[in-house]
Every structure is written in structure tokens, then in C-alpha cells.
Amino acid sequence: MHRALITGGTSGIGAAFARAFARRGVDLVLVARDEERLRETAADLRREHGIDVETIRADLADRDDQARVARRLEADGSDPDLPIVDVLVNNAGFSLRTSLLDPDPSTHDRAHEVMVRSVIVLCSAAARAMSARGQGWIINVGSVSAFVPQNNYSAIKAWMNAYTEALHVQLAGTGVSATLLAPGWVRTEFHARAGITGSSIPGFLWLSSDRLVEDCLRDVARGKAVSIPSLRFKVITTAMRIAPRGLVHGISAALSARRNRER
């Protein structure tokens, strides 16, 4: 792989993907909203790894910005300033704890633009371009929360899981793979931004973002449709899939109550 485009590439799991690819000598295209942070992250990666790093300041809740990033993915290399992208990591997102009964749908609308529509737009652009070349990786960051229905974030990530597996099936035989990364609790600023302290979550359940990404990339290289790093979360997700739904709903209610106490 030669160049990877990563949305939300300046923090959390996205930044871990950027570091992992940079260590491998893969050039990068980082997409994020914060222009200053983009510049700082790009400068650090160039200095530490000697790679080329492009930056695109974009808000993926904005459809014009979605289209602009999609056009970058579709570049065919004929313009020397726009080398081809052969890896897409859809990581941009945010915690969504707004009640499903809230009369104001604006937060849900934004979440769907960033974590659903933009994923469809970018995956479609990348898949067309990569299929034409017969090579490429698409990695979509979901969540194990998809298996425990708590709120609209869980619902969106359940969609991400199903969508990515469907894309994996549709791309069979093209030379392009689509892999879902379904992480559990990862030590990043994601939870802090959402006002979640994590104090009620046992320490052994927390994962390192760098280890998570390395495990994921091994699964991607093997052509796996789903990557659930760590044995503990493989066990948890399997249990959630086969457990009676009433039990899963009870676990969901208990987790939601604990999170509400942490706020």
C-alpha cells in the first residue's frame, strides 16, 4: 500500500492508524476539522517517519466537504499533485448520547451525516477507484456497542457493521477488501469528549489504540471482513450475539445507568 486517507486522523484511533501506516512508510492524507491540529500532526509524522502527508480540512457533516474528500479518493494519479489513494480508513465520528425521545433531531442529523452518509459517499468513491485498479483496502471503524443497544450511537454502529460486511461481499473478486474494525473501550480522548470518565469500566477491558490498530491491520492483510481485537471482546461480542434478547436489553439498561452516573 502506498497512500492511506484517514478521516478523523489527528486523534484517537485515527491517529493510531496514521502512526501505524507511517511506521510502514505509507504516505498519508489526513482529514479532520481542526486545521491547526492537522498541521501539527502532519509535521510530526513527516519529521518522525520521512513520509509525505497531505491534509484536508473538512467537516464531514457538510455534504460539500464529503464530496470534496470523495473526489480526492477518486484521483487516478494523472495529476502528480494528487497521487492515488489505495487505503481508506473511515474513522471520523463522535459519541451520541442524545435521547431518542429528544424533540430536537439536530444532533442525530449531524451524527448520521458524519457516521452514515459520509461513510457511504467515501466508501463508494474509494471502491470504484480501487476496483478499477484491482487493489485497495477499506477499513470502517464500528464498535462493539453495536451489539448492546443503548442509544442512536449503538444503532449507527450496528448499521456500520452490517454495511461494511455487505460491502465486503460486494467487493469479492475485485482485489479490494472491506473490513469492519469493532473496538471495545479504547484509551483515547473519545470518551472524555463525551463526558464519560470510564470509572465504572474495569481496567482489564481497556485497550491500547496502537495495539488495536496493529491487530486490525493483521486482520485486514488476511482479508477478514470483521476485526474484533483482543480475546476479551471476541468473547463479549459472541456472548451478546447468542444471548437471549431480554438479557441483552437488561445489560444495556445497566450500562446506560452507569454511564449516566458518570456524567
Side-chain angles (χ1 to χ4, degrees), residues 2-262:
H2 302 95
R3 188 168 298 253
L5 185 148
I6 306 169
T7 68
T10 60
S11 63
I13 293 173
F17 269 110
R19 292 190 296 270
F21 281 118
R23 286 192 295 270
R24 291 164 169 78
V26 176
D27 294 327
L28 299 171
V29 183
L30 301 182
V31 180
R33 290 185 299 162
D34 188 327
E35 191 157 5
E36 181 177 355
R37 194 163 187 178
L38 274 169
R39 285 198 300 268
E40 291 173 355
T41 302
D44 289 343
L45 291 167
R46 292 185 192 109
R47 183 179 61 253
E48 292 174 20
H49 301 283
I51 60 168
D52 181 51
V53 185
E54 299 174 50
T55 62
I56 300 176
R57 198 217 68 79
D59 181 351
L60 292 177
D62 181 281
R63 295 193 175 187
D64 289 338
D65 281 4
Q66 292 174 13
R68 188 157 51 89
V69 178
R71 287 194 295 272
R72 178 63 190 90
L73 287 164
E74 292 176 314
D76 61 7
S78 58
D79 183 343
D81 293 328
L82 297 173
I84 64 169
V85 171
D86 43 19
V87 180
L88 166 64
V89 180
N90 273 308
N91 167 74
F94 55 90
S95 181
L96 178 62
R97 303 177 73 192
T98 303
S99 170
L100 295 173
L101 279 62
D102 195 312
D104 178 6
S106 58
T107 304
H108 296 294
D109 287 343
R110 179 174 178 82
H112 277 259
E113 286 292 334
V114 174
M115 293 185 279
V116 177
R117 189 181 190 276
S118 81
V119 171
I120 295 172
V121 170
L122 301 190
C123 281
S124 178
R128 288 193 301 273
M130 293 175 186
S131 295
R133 296 190 295 269
Q135 176 179 306
W137 289 354
I138 295 172
I139 303 169
N140 290 334
V141 179
S143 173
V144 297
S145 68
F147 303 104
V148 186
Q150 298 178 72
N151 48 36
N152 199 23
Y153 182 80
S154 301
I156 287 172
K157 290 304 181 179
W159 172 86
M160 176 75 93
N161 293 7
Y163 170 81
T164 306
E165 288 197 72
L167 183 62
H168 177 88
V169 171
Q170 188 164 342
L171 289 171
T174 66
V176 182
S177 68
T179 300
L180 168 75
L181 167 60
W185 285 292
V186 185
R187 293 200 182 278
T188 69
E189 61 195 72
F190 178 87
H191 293 92
R193 284 178 175 175
I196 302 169
T197 65
S199 58
S200 64
I201 301 169
F204 75 92
L205 285 177
W206 289 98
L207 302 174
S208 154
S209 59
D210 290 309
R211 173 64 185 275
L212 176 95
V213 166
E214 289 297 331
D215 288 352
C216 175
L217 291 179
R218 279 195 292 273
D219 287 340
V220 172
R222 294 169 183 153
K224 289 191 174 183
V226 179
S227 175
I228 304 176
S230 86
L231 177 60
R232 73 205 80 162
F233 282 107
K234 286 182 172 69
V235 170
I236 289 170
T237 55
T238 298
M240 290 300 100
R241 282 170 168 160
I242 65 177
R245 296 311 293 169
L247 176 59
V248 174
H249 296 165
I251 293 170
S252 172
L255 288 171
S256 296
R258 283 190 178 187
R259 284 193 170 188
N260 288 336
R261 288 196 295 270
E262 289 180 359

